[in-house]
Amino acid sequence: KMSRHAQQLRDHDINPCVAETDASRKCMDDNNYNKDMCTAYFLKYKSCRKFWHDIMMQRKRNGVKPEMPSAEERKKMLESMG
């Protein structure tokens, strides 16, 4: 059984970067854990984390709840940005 933390990491409403996490992990698996082969995936993950962290901080400052938008709400936000 997955730990509570592991379940949260799989929850698209809590973790906005599930896809990036999975892509990085798959790249590592596919490339025999050679990190150099997966730099692009790590950078994508990092920029995903930073992007949503900044949005969370902004929402926190503005008193918006929940601080992390739901998966559905995030999709709409990204679409509106093009």
Side-chain angles (χ1 to χ4, degrees), residues 50-64:
K50 183 186 180 333
F51 178 81
W52 291 112
H53 177 77
D54 291 348
I55 289 195
M56 268 177 64
M57 296 324 285
Q58 192 182 339
R59 286 166 68 106
K60 197 176 199 158
R61 278 194 300 272
N62 298 337
V64 178

Side-chain angles (χ1 to χ4, degrees), residues 20-56:
E20 290 77 3
T21 305
D22 290 349
S24 296
R25 189 169 295 133
K26 183 180 181 329
C27 179
M28 289 290 281
D29 288 343
D30 292 350
N31 290 286
N32 220 4
Y33 295 87
N34 178 349
K35 287 194 169 93
D36 297 339
M37 301 291 285
C38 302
T39 311
Y41 292 97
F42 298 151
L43 288 174
K44 253 189 203 153
Y45 172 79
K46 243 172 110 170
S47 62
C48 178
R49 294 297 307 175
K50 183 186 180 333
F51 178 81
W52 291 112
H53 177 77
D54 291 348
I55 289 195
M56 268 177 64

